[in-house]
Amino acid sequence: MLKAVFPGSFDPPTLGHLNIIERAGSLFDELLVVVAENPRKKYLFSVEERVALIQELLRGQKKVKVYVWNSLIVEFMKPRDLHIIVRGVRGTDDFSYEFELSMINKALDATIETILMPTDPRYFVLRASAVKELAFFHGDVSSMVPPLVEEALQKKYPS
Ligand code: ADP
């Protein structure tokens, strides 16, 4: 069984995340989406909300499972005998960040391989922080997130 993990904040999940999940899901027998609960970060959506959204969006996709983790991703992977991390890359800024991250993870555990997946051109400029900014000012985010997330954002930022 070839398994991979896709870690991230997913605050909130976007069409860019879902595209990577769909494409990576087709390459592996199992994809573990790992939702970060980093105590040093401030999130708009609680970890319970982020997990509930992703689970609902991925309902029926048997190859994809959702987990929560509040520490280094390599510590999640080691005891589960997992060795592949998938990350999405939107452009060169993402690439340099993701490249460094992959070096750090490799230094922590030499058995880890990181696979960088270029974004679909439709989601090139899509990032969760921009979605939140736009939603705060009641801008149209319908091309960036699925309707379920759009509704959740409207509840966070009622007009
Ligand atoms: P963001 O960077 O939007 O805050 P996350 O921290 O949740 O999102 O990112 C998790 C992973 O998803 C990262 O590898 C990130 O590069 C990737 N990702 C986020 N948005 C996109 C997108 N539009 N296209 C491709 N990958 C993406």
Side-chain angles (χ1 to χ4, degrees):
M1 276 268 271
L2 197 55
K3 298 183 182 185
V5 303
F6 180 46
S9 302
F10 308 104
D11 185 39
T14 68
L15 295 178
H17 293 131
L18 293 176
N19 177 258
I20 297 289
I21 292 170
E22 190 188 323
R23 288 161 60 206
S26 70
L27 297 176
F28 298 100
D29 299 306
E30 196 173 296
L31 185 70
L32 293 82
V33 174
V34 183
V35 180
E37 173 58 335
N38 181 345
R40 292 180 60 240
K41 270 198 185 174
K42 273 202 89 183
Y43 300 98
L44 175 63
F45 291 92
S46 70
V47 71
E48 292 81 13
E49 289 171 323
R50 287 177 282 140
V51 167
L53 287 170
I54 297 186
Q55 271 172 341
E56 183 60 24
L57 295 167
L58 299 176
R59 198 138 60 109
Q61 294 197 32
K62 294 206 169 60
K63 282 166 80 175
V64 187
K65 300 209 166 87
V66 183
Y67 295 81
V68 172
W69 192 244
N70 65 2
S71 184
L72 298 172
I73 192 66
V74 296
E75 301 301 336
F76 174 86
M77 296 171 75
K78 252 184 224 163
R80 294 172 177 82
D81 199 25
L82 298 163
H83 303 278
I84 303 173
I85 301 177
V86 173
R87 296 283 287 176
V89 179
R90 282 159 290 209
T92 47
D93 284 356
D94 269 4
F95 179 79
S96 51
Y97 173 72
E98 295 294 345
F99 184 83
E100 272 186 29
L101 208 57
S102 77
M103 293 296 113
I104 293 168
N105 285 328
K106 193 79 174 163
L108 291 172
D109 180 347
T111 71
I112 302 279
E113 297 296 350
T114 301
I115 302 207
L116 300 183
M117 190 171 259
T119 188
D120 181 294
R122 283 174 294 174
Y123 310 126
F124 181 51
V125 291
L126 174 47
R127 56 186 67 248
S129 54
V131 169
K132 285 179 278 192
E133 181 91 4
L134 207 51
F136 178 80
F137 293 109
H138 307 117
D140 181 7
V141 293
S142 59
S143 63
M144 300 177 162
V145 295
L148 183 73
V149 174
E150 204 179 344
E151 282 163 31
L153 283 163
Q154 278 162 3
K155 282 187 194 141
K156 289 278 176 198
Y157 299 126
S159 45

